[in-house]
Amino acid sequence: MGKHVVGRVSAIPPGDRRIFEAEGRSIGIFNVGGEFFAIRNSCPHQAAPLCLGSIKGMTMPSKPGEYIWAREGEILRCPWHGWEFDIKTGRSIFNPHRTRVKAYDVTVEDHVDGIEDDESVETYDVSVEDGWIVLHV
Amino acid sequence: MVTASQDLTTNKNARSGIIDCDVHPSPVHIDEIRSYLPMPWRDRYRGGGRGFFGNPVHGSRLDSNPPNGGPAGSDPDFTRKQLIDEFGTAYAVLLPRAFCNVQPDPDLGTAVAAAFNDWLADTWLSKHNADGVFKGSITINVHDPIAAAKEIDRWAGHPHFVQVMTDSGARAPFGQRQYYPIYEACERNSLRFAVHPGTDGMGINVQPSPGYPTHYIEWHTCLSLSFQAHLVSILTEGVFERFPGLGITLTEGGVSWLPALMWRLDAEWKALRSEVPWLTKAPSAYLKDHVRLSSQPLEDPDNSKHLLQMLDMMDAEHILMFASDYPHWDFDSPTHAFPRLPEQLHKRIFSETAREWYGLPADTV
C-alpha cells in the first residue's frame, strides 16, 4: 500500500488519461469532468491493455427499439474486444458484480511532503498553481 | 517509484513454437495493390470489402495501429513486435483480406486476387521474411474456378505459400462440382484449401440465414452458419472421395458447433445413405484426414469445464489449431483465450497439428 505522486493536475486534462507504473502494476488515471479515477491497466478478459481503450458514453437500458445515449466520457471500452467498463468504479457494464477491474483511489493534494511546489516529477509542462495527483495503491 | 509508461507488454515468453493459423497482413494503402494491377483493372479497383455490417465499436485492436502510420497489420516489423516476439510464435499463417468474392465481374475479382498474391509474395513473404516465420495463403476468386486453378498453379513451388484461401461468402456451397478445378489444383500442388469469413450476405453472396439480420452482433454470430453449410456440402458431395489428397482449413468459423453438427449429419446418413452412396464411411469419419478448424473465435462458456468437454467431443487433439486473428478486434491471446489444457492437448493445438497440416519444418530457433 503506497501513496504515489504522479504529477500535476494539469498533466491530465478532462477527458484524457495517462498510464503509470506503480508497485509493479500498470495503472491508468482518468480525468472525468475534473475528477480523477484510477483502474488497473489489464482487462479481466484476456489481459489486454485496457486503459488504452476508447473513452465513450453508453447506450442505457431501454425499451426495444429505443436508444438512450448517456454517461459520455465515463465509459472505457477495451481496445481489443470492446468490453465496456465504468471508469469510476472499474465495474463492467454487462456484469458489474462478477466482471470488474481493480479500481484505486486518487486524491488531489495541494501540498505533498518531500516535493517542492516548483518541482516536476514528469517531463510534461506543469503549472505551479494546480495541485498534485496522488495515486493510492 | 512511479514512471509514466506507454509500453505495456506483459511477460515475454521464450520462443514457444506456437503456430498461429490466422494473422492478417494489410497493404499500407490500396494503391500498393493497384500498382500490381494491369489496366483496366488498376483504374477500376477502388478497394473495399463489405459495405455494411461494419463493427460498431472498432474493427481492429486499438493498440495495433503501427506507430509509423498505416492501418493495423500493415507494418511487418510491428506485427513481429506485437505478436511474433510477444508470444514466441514460430510461424504465422497470413490471410490477406482481398474480398474478391464480392466482385460481380469475375475478371476483376481474379485480377485483384493475383495482385494480392504478387504483393504478399514481394513483401511479407520475402523482404520481411528472412527467418521464414511468415507463411502465406494464395488468394483466389472462387467464382471463377478455372482462373483460380491457374492462379494456384502460378505459385507452385513457392517456399512460403502453404494454402489457398477464399471468403466463406459464396454463390453456392463448396461441395458442388463447379469448384472442382480449384480442388484439383490444390491437390496437385499439395496446398490446403482455407475458408475464411468475408463477403457473407454481401449482395452477390449468400449468408445461409432466412435473410439479412439487423445488427452486426447477429451477422457476426451467424458467420459460423456458412461454415456449417459448406462443411455439410463438402462431406456429402463426396469431395474427399474425389480428391483424397485434399485438406480443408476452416478458419475463424467458430468451433463448438462441430460435435453437434456431426452427430446430426451422421444420424441423417444412417437413414439417407442411399442418397449419397459414394460415401464409404460416416461423414464425421472424414474429418481427421481432411479437415482442420482454427480456434479463434473460441467460445468462452462461464464454466470452462464445458469447453474442455467440448474439445474432447470434437477430437480437438487432432483437428483444432490455434489462431489469434491478429490484429482484429476479437483477437484471441495465446496465453488467455483457452482454459488450462492438459500438456499434450496444448502441444497439439498450439503447434503440432498445424506443423503436420502445413508440413512446416521443426522450429530450429
Side-chain angles (χ1 to χ4, degrees), chain A residues 21 26 41 46 79-81, chain B residues 3 8 61-62 329 331 333:
Chain A
E21 292 282 338
S26 181
N41 184 28
Q46 291 199 23
W80 290 6
H81 303 92
Chain B
T3 50
L8 299 159
R61 280 173 47 168
L62 293 179
W329 70 273
F331 171 79
S333 162

Side-chain angles (χ1 to χ4, degrees), chain B residues 73-87:
Chain B
S74 66
D75 180 343
D77 292 335
F78 190 61
T79 293
R80 280 178 180 279
K81 178 173 184 284
Q82 197 165 46
L83 183 74
I84 307 298
D85 297 343
E86 175 69 24
F87 297 106

Side-chain angles (χ1 to χ4, degrees), chain B residues 102-165:
Chain B
V102 83
Q103 301 292 350
D105 182 336
D107 291 329
L108 175 58
T110 294
V112 170
F116 266 84
N117 294 331
D118 286 324
W119 161 75
L120 194 69
D122 280 355
T123 54
W124 290 69
L125 297 186
S126 53
K127 241 179 265 174
H128 302 286
N129 203 26
D131 56 1
V133 76
F134 294 130
K135 298 296 168 190
S137 305
I138 300 168
T139 298
I140 56 162
N141 173 19
V142 84
H143 295 326
D144 191 350
I146 304 288
K150 278 188 199 149
E151 181 65 15
I152 295 165
D153 286 338
R154 188 163 77 93
W155 296 101
H158 189 284
H160 296 303
F161 278 119
V162 294
Q163 64 183 4
V164 169
M165 69 170 288

Side-chain angles (χ1 to χ4, degrees), chain A residues 4-6 18-23 26 41 45-47 49 52-54 67 77-82 98 122, chain B residues 1-8 10 57-58 60-63 87 215 300 302 328-333 336-337:
Chain A
H4 301 272
V5 181
V6 301
R18 292 212 27 155
I19 293 159
F20 301 89
E21 292 282 338
E23 300 185 19
S26 181
N41 184 28
H45 177 210
Q46 291 199 23
L52 294 181
S54 47
Y67 302 94
R77 299 200 73 138
C78 180
W80 290 6
H81 303 92
R98 279 192 56 190
E122 295 288 353
Chain B
M1 178 68 191
V2 175
T3 50
S5 166
Q6 292 302 313
D7 181 16
L8 299 159
T10 50
V57 182
H58 48 251
S60 288
R61 280 173 47 168
L62 293 179
D63 59 346
F87 297 106
H215 302 105
D300 185 18
D302 287 343
H328 290 163
W329 70 273
D330 44 353
F331 171 79
D332 268 349
S333 162
H336 288 79

Side-chain angles (χ1 to χ4, degrees), chain B residues 345-358:
Chain B
L345 182 60
H346 186 278
K347 224 195 289 181
R348 293 293 310 170
I349 292 173
F350 279 79
S351 174
E352 281 178 4
T353 300
R355 197 182 297 280
E356 292 163 7
W357 186 245
Y358 292 119

Side-chain angles (χ1 to χ4, degrees), chain B residues 215-340:
Chain B
H215 302 105
Y216 178 80
I217 187 175
E218 301 172 66
W219 180 83
H220 200 252
T221 301
C222 292
L223 285 177
S224 62
L225 301 179
S226 289
F227 286 77
Q228 296 180 50
H230 285 313
L231 181 58
V232 169
S233 168
I234 288 164
L235 290 170
T236 56
E237 295 265 10
V239 167
F240 299 127
E241 292 293 340
R242 286 175 191 268
F243 307 103
L246 183 67
I248 294 191
T249 318
L250 301 178
T251 309
E252 203 177 346
V255 175
S256 300
W257 49 263
L258 186 70
L261 184 73
M262 288 302 105
W263 292 334
R264 188 170 178 80
L265 180 56
D266 283 357
E268 299 271 339
W269 172 76
K270 288 171 192 166
L272 300 169
R273 184 218 55 78
S274 61
E275 193 183 22
V276 287
W278 40 82
L279 297 189
T280 56
K281 51 191 173 187
S284 68
Y286 289 91
L287 295 182
K288 195 171 167 183
D289 287 338
H290 297 284
V291 176
R292 298 290 178 271
L293 276 73
S294 70
S295 62
Q296 184 279 343
L298 186 69
E299 291 81 12
D300 185 18
D302 287 343
N303 183 345
S304 59
K305 223 193 284 174
H306 295 163
L307 185 73
L308 295 171
Q309 289 164 349
M310 194 283 303
L311 294 178
D312 182 42
M313 293 173 207
M314 70 176 284
D315 190 21
E317 184 173 347
H318 295 107
I319 66 170
L320 189 64
M321 311 190 293
F322 173 75
S324 74
D325 195 31
Y326 178 90
H328 290 163
W329 70 273
D330 44 353
F331 171 79
D332 268 349
S333 162
T335 51
H336 288 79
F338 277 83
R340 178 171 287 281

Side-chain angles (χ1 to χ4, degrees), chain A:
Chain A
M1 289 289 282
K3 201 168 145 176
H4 301 272
V5 181
V6 301
R8 294 283 195 179
V9 163
S10 57
I12 312 177
D16 211 347
R17 101 295 303 265
R18 292 212 27 155
I19 293 159
F20 301 89
E21 292 282 338
E23 300 185 19
R25 298 179 185 89
S26 181
I27 294 169
I29 299 185
F30 296 76
N31 182 336
V32 180
E35 270 187 277
F36 290 90
F37 301 92
I39 57 177
R40 186 140 188 209
N41 184 28
S42 179
C43 185
H45 177 210
Q46 291 199 23
L50 177 63
C51 295
L52 294 181
S54 47
I55 298 168
K56 300 276 189 185
M58 61 177 276
T59 48
M60 303 297 285
S62 64
K63 294 184 195 122
E66 183 181 57
Y67 302 94
I68 305 166
W69 185 260
R71 305 199 60 192
E72 188 66 56
E74 297 179 15
I75 306 299
L76 177 66
R77 299 200 73 138
C78 180
W80 290 6
H81 303 92
W83 288 16
E84 298 163 291
F85 291 87
D86 186 336
I87 295 171
K88 295 183 172 182
T89 62
R91 291 171 186 269
S92 71
I93 300 303
F94 76 84
N95 190 343
H97 303 294
R98 279 192 56 190
T99 302
R100 49 200 289 194
V101 61
K102 172 82 178 154
Y104 301 92
D105 287 336
V106 186
T107 53
V108 173
E109 296 177 19
D110 292 336
H111 179 78
V112 178
D113 288 342
I115 296 182
E116 295 301 320
D117 283 351
D118 59 352
E119 188 180 341
S120 168
V121 294
E122 295 288 353
T123 55
Y124 42 74
D125 291 336
V126 297
S127 82
V128 273
E129 287 83 22
D130 51 37
W132 298 100
I133 301 170
V134 180
L135 169 66
H136 303 266
V137 175

